[in-house]
Amino acid sequence: MKKTVAIIFGGESSEYEVSCVSAANVAENLDSELFDTVLVGITKDGKWWIFNGSTDDLRNHVWQEKRALLTPAVISPCKAHHGLIALDGANGSFEIVRIDVAFPVLHGKNGEDGTMQGLLELSGIPYVGCDTYSSAVSMDKAATKTICANAGIPVVPFIAAYKSCDIASLVTESEEKYGYPVFVKPANAGSSVGITKAKTKEELLSGIKLAFEHDKKLLIEPNTVGREIEVAVCGNEKPFASVCGEIRPNSDFYDYETKYINDKSECLAPAPLDESVSENIRELAVKVYTALGCSGLSRVDFFLTENGAFLNEINTIPGFTPISMYPKMMACIGIEYSELITKLLSLATGCEE
């Protein structure tokens, strides 16, 4: 008997557009012999809809304009419903749409940070990916690094600060510890949104202002010279790692524009690494995944320097766009896109370790 999968996409996030493209790819690669699909879109202003149109409309970011194909709906927190409440605005009636498993493809805030996971926990609907706790701590770069450092994992050094901080003191501390250049990052954001590479005091101040526009908490990190290495990790109790991949930005740093717009970067999978170096990074990736209590999937990012590998960050809902590294790295170990989607859904429902 086929299971009904709710693919949840969009959302109130700076990564809305990437989410729509990822969701289109997931929907197109879902095994139609095993699963029925319900597309659940969330607009930038937080309106929820069941979308009955094509994946091209998601990819072109026009799905929310197709009013005839939209039904207002919400996930019910009542376990008896185990799904969506679809609303009929014309006569005030509603219908329960039962969902067997959810696949949140919500990158960044309000989707990757534990908020959606908490709602799905209340609803009793199994879902792909990390639970509420691990999603929240993995989204917060400072929390991630604190937990992992305590687990003996090398991390990129950082200063964390809240919006209420004394900015002059923060700048002085950064200059004394790291000099220039430094990276200023929102603590809770993805796809390099809101990040500044500051080479002067003026750029540091503007970078702090930008980061606080995206989050109430930020990190300042020293410029780490090294190769950008990524590893895809999958599993629940027995997680395993893919091959290592390498990002070559071919720009000042791997920002949002480089990732998704100007197509300058090179993504290599597998990365050209000595076997011993590759194995060490893969082991570190699984260790990070375990220390943070992750399940389902995550992509773990490192800087490989002359002094070894250092954790940069973890992404618990990595991109599933045509250029995304997570599915590419999994394909390198023989798990192709459609099989990967099936595996993640099986892990979510407890049908597979």
Side-chain angles (χ1 to χ4, degrees), residues 305-319:
T305 75
E306 59 183 14
N307 296 316
F310 293 83
L311 173 66
N312 180 28
E313 64 182 22
I314 182 171
N315 291 270
T316 55
I317 303 182

Side-chain angles (χ1 to χ4, degrees), residues 15 18-19 21-23 25-26 103-108 111-112 117 128-130 135 138-139 190-191 230-234 259-260 289 294-301 313-330 337 340-341 344:
E15 298 173 77
V18 181
S19 171
V21 177
S22 288
N25 285 338
V26 171
F103 197 134
V105 193
L106 296 160
H107 308 307
E112 194 173 353
Q117 290 74 15
V128 169
C130 296
S135 296
S138 296
M139 186 71 182
S191 290
E230 302 183 342
V231 182
V233 184
C234 182
K259 285 182 179 181
Y260 301 114
Y289 190 88
C294 295
S295 55
L297 77 162
S298 290
R299 194 194 72 237
V300 190
D301 301 346
E313 64 182 22
I314 182 171
N315 291 270
T316 55
I317 303 182
F320 275 85
T321 72
I323 62 170
S324 294
M325 284 293 279
Y326 189 94
K328 284 185 178 181
M329 291 186 288
M330 280 297 175
Y337 206 120
L340 175 60
I341 300 302
L344 292 171

Side-chain angles (χ1 to χ4, degrees), residues 142-163:
T144 294
K145 290 184 178 182
T146 299
I147 291 168
C148 289
N150 287 338
I153 298 162
V155 304
V156 174
F158 68 95
I159 299 166
Y162 285 92
K163 214 167 192 174

Side-chain angles (χ1 to χ4, degrees), residues 228 230 246-251 253-268 323-325 328:
E228 298 190 31
E230 302 183 342
E246 181 173 6
I247 302 296
R248 293 180 178 175
N250 298 323
S251 63
F253 71 99
Y254 196 40
D255 58 5
Y256 186 92
E257 185 173 341
T258 304
K259 285 182 179 181
Y260 301 114
I261 299 174
N262 63 24
D263 201 28
K264 284 183 180 179
S265 63
E266 295 177 76
C267 302
L268 308 178
I323 62 170
S324 294
M325 284 293 279
K328 284 185 178 181

Side-chain angles (χ1 to χ4, degrees), residues 53-75:
S54 75
T55 51
D56 285 340
D57 291 333
L58 271 66
R59 192 172 281 108
N60 296 324
H61 313 303
V62 296
W63 67 273
Q64 72 278 10
E65 299 169 14
K66 306 296 180 77
R67 294 297 177 179
L69 303 175
L70 298 173
T71 302
V74 292
I75 291 176

Side-chain angles (χ1 to χ4, degrees), residues 279-306:
E279 185 61 27
N280 175 61
I281 295 174
R282 292 174 69 248
E283 289 175 0
L284 278 177
V286 172
K287 192 172 181 180
V288 169
Y289 190 88
T290 303
L292 295 169
C294 295
S295 55
L297 77 162
S298 290
R299 194 194 72 237
V300 190
D301 301 346
F302 297 91
F303 286 118
L304 178 60
T305 75
E306 59 183 14

